[in-house]
Amino acid sequence: MKPSFRSPLRWSDVTSKADWLNRRQLIAGAAALAATPAMARIEAAASRYSTDEAPNTLEDITSYNNFYEFGTGKDDPAANAGGLTTDPWSIEIGGMVDRPGSYGLGDILAGAPLEERIYRLRCVEAWAMVVPWIGFELGHLLTKAGVQPSAKYVAFETLVRPEEMPGQSSRFIDWPYREGLRLDEAMHPLTILATGLYGEVLPNQNGAPIRLVVPWKYGFKSIKSIVRITLTDMQPQTTWNMLQPQEYGFFANVNPQVDHPRWSQASERRIGSGFFSSRQDTLMFNGYGDEVAGLYAGQDLAADF
Ligand code: MTE
């Protein structure tokens, strides 16, 4: 059965589609969600935005990470993020909004239409994965806060808490980690805030308790462990662009025709795939061009990289 978009499916209903999850994992996932008050809703609709590609394993997704607040090695986040306190958690929403304030995670999730979104993730370092996120559209939260007509961009910041984030003792990044989107990108239905993956609460190394996922952009745009969202009329400063503006642009759309100055972006290594089949061509907008190319009509994507 192919479920229609936003049908009120229960976890048990998606079992056949999601044959990568066995029944025991589904039950464990539902129990984990129910056990967390903020995520008590265990129903999640399958989405027409999901890819049919097979997701990476939970092991791949939680052991090979970029989260510089916990160190620069791929295995540092899994080793060091366990001690991050993610409850209580709130996001300060401010700038050009009608209802600014500190929103607790419970408030944010109340009424949020959680869905499973199986998305490709393409890192600027030329590796890729497929991740079954649980999340909801960022537009839902922005609408709740009331975006004012003057707003043109959305700025995001990650938590700064050096006592729990050992990587923040290094000064090579000017913390907090920052990211930003143009308002039309932020309101696009593909752009989600994820609070879970594989049917369970988001692991700390993947950006608990709430992180952005923008699947047509390089992974560095998908900022983790968000504590501040600001609506503004000026393009915000973003961490990798601040560090190396010639190498990392504000837009950072996945684009096989625009190489990184130090490596090709034409192909990518699928994490976890076999040695001989591990390289694959990179797709324009990471395969999401039908949905998002229109956002950039008339823009020179080599200049606006
Ligand atoms: N967010 C914060 N706060 N700090 C980071 O170092 N790394 C980014 C992004 N979000 C990063 C971050 C990069 S480079 C990538 S590729 C993705 O997170 C990786 O997400 P994953 O570890 O869940 O696969």
Side-chain angles (χ1 to χ4, degrees), residues 60-62 64-71 74 77 121-125 127 129 131 133 157-159 165 173 175-179 197 202 205-207 211-212 218-226 239-240:
D60 289 342
I61 296 167
T62 58
Y64 189 93
N65 300 99
N66 277 333
F67 199 168
Y68 278 28
E69 284 83 344
F70 296 100
K74 294 289 181 269
L121 172 78
R122 169 54 157 90
C123 180
V124 74
E125 298 164 334
W127 55 265
M129 291 199 201
V131 183
W133 304 107
E157 289 180 16
T158 294
L159 179 72
M165 298 176 129
I173 286 176
W175 311 106
Y177 190 99
R178 290 159 234 219
E179 260 308 333
L197 69 80
L202 200 61
Q205 59 266 43
N206 293 94
R211 60 91 58 86
L212 188 69
Y218 291 120
F220 68 84
K221 299 294 290 184
S222 292
I223 183 173
K224 297 176 169 182
S225 305
I226 297 168
T239 287
W240 284 99

